[in-house]
Amino acid sequence: MAKRSSLSIRIVEGKNLPAKDITGSSDPYCIVKVDNEPIIRTATVWKTLCPFWGEEYQVHLPPTFHAVAFYVMDEDALSRDDVIGKVCLTRDTLASHPKGFSGWAHLMEVDPDEEVQGEIHLRLEVLPGARARRLRCSVLEARDLAPKDRNGASDPFVRVRYKGRTQETSIVKKSCYPRWNETFEFELEEGATEALCVEAWDWDLVSRNDFLGKVVIDVQRLWAAQQEEGWFRLQPDQSKSRQHVKGNLGSLQLEVRLRDETVLPSSCYQPLVQLLCHEVKLGVQGPGQLIPLIEETTSTECRQDVATNLLKLFLGQGLAKDFLDLLFQLELSRTSEANTLFRSNSLASKSMESFLKVAGMRYLHGVLGPIINKVFEEKKYVELDPSKVEVKDVGCSGLHRPQTEAEVLEQSAQTLRAHLGALLSALCRSVRACPAVVRATFRQLFRRVRERFPGAQHENVPFIAVTSFLCLRFFSPAIMSPKLFHLRERHADARTSRTLLLLAKAVQNVGNMDTPASRAKEAWMEPLQPTVRQGVAQLKDFITKLVDIEEKDELDLQRTLSLQAPPVKEGPLFIHRTKGKGPLMSSSFKKLYFSLTTEVLSFAKTPSSKKSALIKLANVRAAEKVEEKSFGSSNVMQVIYTDDAGRPQTAYLQCKCVNELNQWLSALRKVSINNTGLLGSYHPGVFRGDKWSCCHQREKTGRGCDKTRSRVTLQEWNDPLDHDLEAQLIYRHLLSVEAMLWEKHQELSGGAEASTVPASPGKAPEDSLAQLLRVLRDLHEAHSSSPASSPTSEPNCLLQLQT
């Protein structure tokens, strides 16, 4: 069993930010740090004091993290980016909001004395003495200290203070991972109440020393324990009475939710998984009532999460198509009007949305990617609404005269017709590229809808049912917000956003089969009607071919695809592997195209070149960041692995930005999570000459000076399925609605007493609910007896040991 923590983060928008540029504006973006480790960078929103981001992330973390901080920055092209302010949420704050923290938070000033990070390794002892007891403090080492100097490091020393006496360690030059192994002693009087203070400082020759953090030790507690040793988290200096001025730095709207889960062994979830799978296999023909009951008891606010968890569970069991088919039939059975089909936020609609994102995202990128890239590259002014045309934004024509409104509208229509035509052509050519499970699911949907609405007047209804998901809930949202679907790294500017919005509207009109209702909404879209009408015919032909797949063909296609290891992540990186004793410069990196699968990390000169294997994934021991000072470059990671002879090797790879760095680290950690021999520590520097650049150790194969972060990952659409976690999340949801399930059980059993579950499973139709209640009881008991479920307590002054 394991305890897992995850943060769901949505950075919505900012308002009333201060102007940092001479133009009276700013170029804001956000950096998200967990325990001072940057894990997310939003896109920059240019020239605004009220930026909108709308970016969502999910981060998986070890349960021992302490705080998450949001820094709002102003991007500068020529100088270092300015810090506008920050919002910090501690783990305790998030834990006190079970439904998550949501709302506006004032940005606070960033105080250098509070920007501390890292941990210090201390051994504390109370020893007998001739006249009085002695307090011995051994300062052993520190790790991950804040870099305070321009060289990307610090010159740290430690100051130990007790009862007016101060002693200091030696200074370790150019290191954020210093080792001292120095011991200090103080006389200790019985009943003494004064605390022992251990402070870390960065030594500076000219200016004042920089504060790196401190640990305050409760001597009375130490007296009782006699000895303490471990890693203690450095804390900020809060002795200064500094007033944070609220409001003048602006505000940030956030949605942050912490979720802690104790995941039991797989065997504990088997009864729940088997019961749900049995229900799906029975379908609407059998006595199963659990899936509609789950939908009935699920509130609107958590329906998306439940739908995603169920979909991933059944996808892992090979029953995604059957699960969705069951939902299709349930929704069709309660729908009387064809024009309202799949228009609500039902479990079927939400599950299908999740299904397309999990199973069809690569397909979406293949079809939409080139069109979206072209829109971004052209940056043309496009507008069809006469009331919004701004001629001055267009410039002059070849005759050096301002264009008329009619000319703007005509050029805009031509541009949109070209984009829409290219998109529809790409879609029509993509039948074979569509994943087999997606094709099979759409075939079932098409068949079920045609059976439910067989008349000639409903000829288009099966096509609209398919396009309601493919176009309206998948392609159109991706066109409007390409960054949220990983199609672009940055948000579109205002001009490109308008082009994308109009293109998405046109795709919706095609998806609606050009109904009179869709045309009546915005009459100014009329110039696109010829292309829309032609697109309807193209789309119907595409869907006809898409759903024309027999079971045998589907299985053959799935087998063919299963033989190919699909890439988990791919893209250009710079590689450098250390050789010799010379200095390592950023210019020694070579650009190559990398591809990561579940089996190997390989590279090639170009995306189409023949790939050469670099690392077998089974040989990976760690994937971690590298100190910036090591190569004089940021965003460098290292992959520690063993070669075929079992010798340790390290590959250094440089990414272009912090987001790409964390995405590659996350992908490498996920595919190697079950490897044997994963490292618990590593060196964040490089071995240069005869020592490590980080901690100055001279033993190349010695123990690392920092802890690895193999459990810090970002959730992505192509993540490997985690069956146990999905089962645990479904169990937690069912537990939250257990009271409603009991009421339903009592109702179905004719008013029988609902305080106990039947002793054994029966054969009656309602017994599936009785079995579910028994499974929930057994899982609850398993959690109650699980050691991981018991809450951990942290001392107030003596900080928790970090292992």
Side-chain angles (χ1 to χ4, degrees):
M1 66 190 66
K3 191 167 185 179
R4 309 184 193 180
S5 295
S6 64
L7 280 174
S8 297
I9 297 172
R10 185 165 188 258
I11 305 170
V12 187
E13 60 182 320
K15 67 178 180 182
N16 302 328
L17 301 182
K20 290 291 184 178
D21 301 335
I22 57 175
T23 58
S25 186
S26 291
D27 304 313
Y29 66 92
C30 287
I31 288 283
V32 183
K33 295 183 180 182
V34 174
D35 291 345
N36 296 101
E37 182 83 11
I39 57 170
I40 293 166
R41 184 201 193 278
T42 69
T44 301
V45 183
W46 304 98
K47 297 179 182 178
T48 180
L49 301 181
C50 297
F52 178 83
W53 291 286
E55 298 187 23
E56 298 182 18
Y57 304 89
Q58 186 152 341
V59 188
H60 299 283
L61 300 159
T64 52
F65 87 94
H66 294 81
V68 55
F70 301 82
Y71 291 79
V72 179
M73 312 288 292
D74 170 57
E75 183 168 335
D76 286 319
L78 302 178
S79 60
R80 293 188 66 177
D81 295 350
D82 298 316
V83 182
I84 296 176
K86 75 169 186 177
V87 172
C88 186
L89 299 173
T90 65
R91 195 188 198 289
D92 292 340
T93 300
L94 294 171
S96 65
H97 293 76
K99 293 186 177 180
F101 172 87
S102 179
W104 289 94
H106 291 289
L107 290 172
M108 312 300 285
E109 180 186 351
V110 176
D111 182 357
D113 286 344
E114 291 187 4
E115 296 302 294
V116 302
Q117 66 184 65
E119 299 166 324
I120 188 168
H121 188 186
L122 303 174
R123 185 188 301 123
L124 306 161
E125 303 170 273
V126 175
L127 304 173
R131 292 180 298 177
R133 295 197 176 219
R134 287 174 294 129
L135 171 61
R136 176 180 291 173
C137 175
S138 299
V139 181
L140 305 178
E141 57 187 322
R143 63 190 180 195
D144 195 28
L145 298 179
K148 294 290 185 178
D149 300 335
R150 288 187 176 182
N151 59 17
S154 290
D155 304 318
F157 69 94
V158 171
R159 186 176 292 159
V160 184
R161 293 190 288 109
Y162 181 67
K163 293 191 69 173
R165 286 187 59 201
T166 300
Q167 300 186 57
E168 294 182 354
T169 67
S170 57
I171 299 168
V172 179
K173 294 290 186 69
K174 299 180 181 179
S175 177
C176 292
Y177 299 85
R179 296 193 170 189
W180 294 283
N181 290 317
E182 298 183 28
T183 299
F184 308 99
E185 291 190 2
F186 302 89
E187 286 191 3
L188 184 61
E189 298 177 2
E190 190 166 354
T193 58
E194 190 167 344
L196 174 73
C197 185
V198 180
E199 299 175 342
W201 292 84
D202 167 53
W203 176 82
D204 283 320
L205 177 63
V206 179
S207 59
R208 69 179 182 89
N209 296 336
D210 297 310
F211 179 71
L212 294 175
K214 70 178 181 179
V215 176
V216 179
I217 308 297
D218 186 334
V219 173
Q220 287 185 321
R221 293 184 59 159
L222 181 60
W223 189 296
Q226 293 295 301
Q227 183 174 341
E228 289 279 356
E229 180 178 350
W231 287 95
F232 297 89
R233 182 171 177 77
L234 291 170
Q235 300 293 309
D237 184 6
Q238 297 175 335
S239 60
K240 302 175 183 177
S241 57
R242 189 171 66 86
Q243 293 287 330
H244 285 286
V245 181
K246 296 184 177 181
N248 60 335
L249 297 179
S251 302
L252 189 63
Q253 188 181 7
L254 300 168
E255 296 174 12
V256 187
R257 182 184 179 187
L258 170 65
R259 172 174 276 164
D260 289 320
E261 296 293 344
T262 300
V263 181
L264 301 172
S266 298
S267 57
C268 296
Y269 298 109
Q270 281 307 302
L272 175 62
V273 173
Q274 290 172 0
L275 180 60
L276 293 174
C277 288
H278 180 66
E279 290 286 304
V280 167
K281 290 174 183 176
L282 287 174
V284 294
Q285 303 302 322
Q289 297 292 323
L290 293 186
I291 300 301
L293 188 57
I294 290 174
E295 179 172 26
E296 181 184 333
T297 55
T298 301
S299 64
T300 305
E301 61 181 355
C302 63
R303 191 167 291 157
Q304 182 66 73
D305 289 339
V306 174
T308 302
N309 296 333
L310 285 170
L311 184 278
K312 287 185 176 181
L313 180 77
F314 291 121
L315 197 62
Q317 300 295 322
L319 292 172
K321 183 186 71 173
D322 305 83
F323 168 61
L324 292 167
D325 186 38
L326 173 59
L327 295 179
F328 296 154
Q329 294 180 73
L330 291 171
E331 178 133 345
L332 284 164
S333 66
R334 58 175 181 253
T335 303
S336 57
E337 295 293 332
N339 59 356
T340 63
L341 187 59
F342 300 119
R343 297 292 177 172
S344 64
N345 290 322
S346 62
L347 191 62
S349 298
K350 294 295 185 183
S351 298
M352 193 63 180
E353 282 183 32
S354 298
F355 170 68
L356 289 173
K357 288 181 180 178
V358 173
M361 192 70 86
R362 194 178 303 280
Y363 169 67
L364 175 88
H365 280 221
V367 176
L368 270 188
I371 287 89
I372 296 297
N373 290 339
K374 188 173 182 181
V375 172
F376 271 78
E377 290 162 6
E378 288 183 350
K379 294 185 177 180
K380 290 183 178 179
Y381 177 77
V382 174
E383 184 55 74
L384 291 181
D385 186 351
S387 65
K388 295 182 178 180
V389 170
E390 297 181 12
V391 176
K392 68 179 186 303
D393 285 345
V394 182
C396 299
S397 67
L399 298 176
H400 301 287
R401 60 174 179 79
Q403 287 183 313
T404 64
E405 180 181 295
E407 289 173 330
V408 173
L409 294 174
E410 176 56 30
Q411 286 190 5
S412 298
Q414 288 179 5
T415 301
L416 285 171
R417 282 195 290 264
H419 290 319
L420 182 59
L423 173 56
L424 291 169
S425 297
L427 189 62
C428 291
R429 295 191 303 267
S430 70
V431 173
R432 298 293 294 178
C434 187
V437 66
V438 175
R439 291 185 65 182
T441 302
F442 277 132
R443 181 192 63 200
Q444 286 292 87
L445 172 62
F446 190 89
R447 183 165 67 88
R448 296 295 185 190
V449 174
R450 189 163 55 185
E451 290 172 355
R452 176 66 180 83
F453 298 100
Q457 69 273 27
H458 298 307
E459 178 187 357
N460 283 337
V461 174
F463 294 96
I464 293 176
V466 173
T467 60
S468 67
F469 292 115
L470 187 65
C471 295
L472 276 62
R473 293 176 181 260
F474 195 38
F475 275 73
S476 287
I479 293 170
M480 286 189 288
S481 304
K483 186 180 188 303
L484 303 186
F485 284 75
H486 310 286
L487 286 161
R488 298 288 295 187
E489 292 182 6
R490 293 179 174 270
H491 290 297
D493 57 27
R495 176 176 289 189
T496 305
S497 289
R498 183 60 179 170
T499 305
L500 293 172
L501 176 62
L502 293 172
L503 179 59
K505 286 177 179 290
V507 171
Q508 289 173 353
N509 286 347
V510 176
N512 286 323
M513 298 292 149
D514 192 29
T515 58
S518 64
R519 289 200 303 269
K521 286 183 181 178
E522 292 158 331
W524 42 265
M525 294 283 288
E526 182 63 31
L528 299 184
Q529 282 310 114
T531 310
V532 169
R533 282 193 291 271
Q534 182 182 352
V536 170
Q538 289 177 284
L539 195 58
K540 290 179 73 172
D541 181 62
F542 163 74
I543 293 172
T544 302
K545 294 176 181 176
L546 189 73
V547 301
D548 184 21
I549 177 173
E550 298 298 329
E551 289 287 347
K552 182 180 180 301
D553 297 334
E554 174 198 338
L555 292 173
D556 290 343
L557 191 55
Q558 286 178 333
R559 287 193 196 97
T560 303
L561 294 173
S562 65
L563 295 175
Q564 307 167 357
V568 175
K569 186 164 181 61
E570 51 190 352
L573 295 172
F574 292 86
I575 182 171
H576 180 102
R577 280 184 284 183
T578 57
K579 291 182 181 180
K581 296 184 178 181
L584 302 174
M585 304 299 292
S586 59
S587 58
S588 63
F589 282 88
K590 182 179 181 181
K591 187 176 182 180
L592 294 169
Y593 191 86
F594 281 81
S595 178
L596 174 67
T597 69
T598 54
E599 298 174 357
V600 68
L601 176 65
S602 56
F603 66 90
K605 289 186 177 180
T606 64
S608 57
S609 303
K610 183 179 179 181
K611 293 182 174 61
S612 301
L614 174 65
I615 303 170
K616 293 178 181 177
L617 265 296
N619 295 344
V620 171
R621 298 294 173 258
E624 299 293 336
K625 295 180 181 179
V626 177
E627 276 190 301
E628 184 172 336
K629 69 167 187 172
S630 300
F631 294 101
S633 300
S634 55
N635 307 319
V636 179
M637 66 177 176
Q638 57 180 307
V639 185
I640 306 170
Y641 64 101
T642 55
D643 59 20
D644 293 336
R647 295 172 301 217
Q649 304 286 347
T650 304
Y652 295 96
L653 306 173
Q654 184 174 7
C655 306
K656 61 184 176 183
C657 64
V658 67
N659 277 354
E660 186 180 66
L661 172 65
N662 284 304
Q663 287 163 8
W664 272 102
L665 284 172
S666 181
L668 283 161
R669 289 166 179 171
K670 288 170 189 171
V671 295
S672 60
I673 190 65
N674 295 318
N675 285 5
T676 56
L678 289 177
L679 299 178
S681 63
Y682 79 108
H683 288 285
V686 294
F687 197 80
R688 179 182 290 118
D690 60 350
K691 64 182 178 180
W692 287 98
S693 63
C694 44
C695 59
H696 304 167
Q697 282 189 75
R698 297 189 180 275
E699 187 179 352
K700 188 173 183 179
T701 58
R703 179 178 62 87
C705 56
D706 199 6
K707 57 187 177 183
T708 54
R709 295 164 175 82
S710 60
R711 293 179 63 185
V712 180
T713 58
L714 297 172
Q715 182 168 304
E716 299 284 350
W717 55 268
N718 58 347
D719 279 354
L721 296 173
D722 189 336
H723 310 100
D724 295 341
L725 178 59
E726 301 305 334
Q728 166 62 24
L729 295 174
I730 293 168
Y731 156 70
R732 170 177 279 210
H733 169 70
L734 294 173
L735 195 64
S736 69
V737 297
E738 189 179 20
M740 287 187 279
L741 296 176
W742 271 109
E743 290 178 9
K744 191 68 176 179
H745 171 59
Q746 187 177 21
E747 177 186 331
L748 292 173
S749 56
E753 188 173 339
S755 59
T756 58
V757 181
S760 60
K763 305 292 185 182
E766 66 270 16
D767 278 349
S768 58
L769 180 53
Q771 291 178 55
L772 178 63
L773 291 167
R774 185 183 305 104
V775 167
L776 294 181
R777 180 196 63 191
D778 294 342
L779 278 170
H780 182 67
E781 291 175 356
H783 273 282
S784 299
S785 59
S786 163
S789 297
S790 56
T792 57
S793 58
E794 292 191 31
N796 294 325
C797 298
L798 201 58
L799 300 181
Q800 186 181 17
L801 179 68
Q802 302 295 309
T803 57

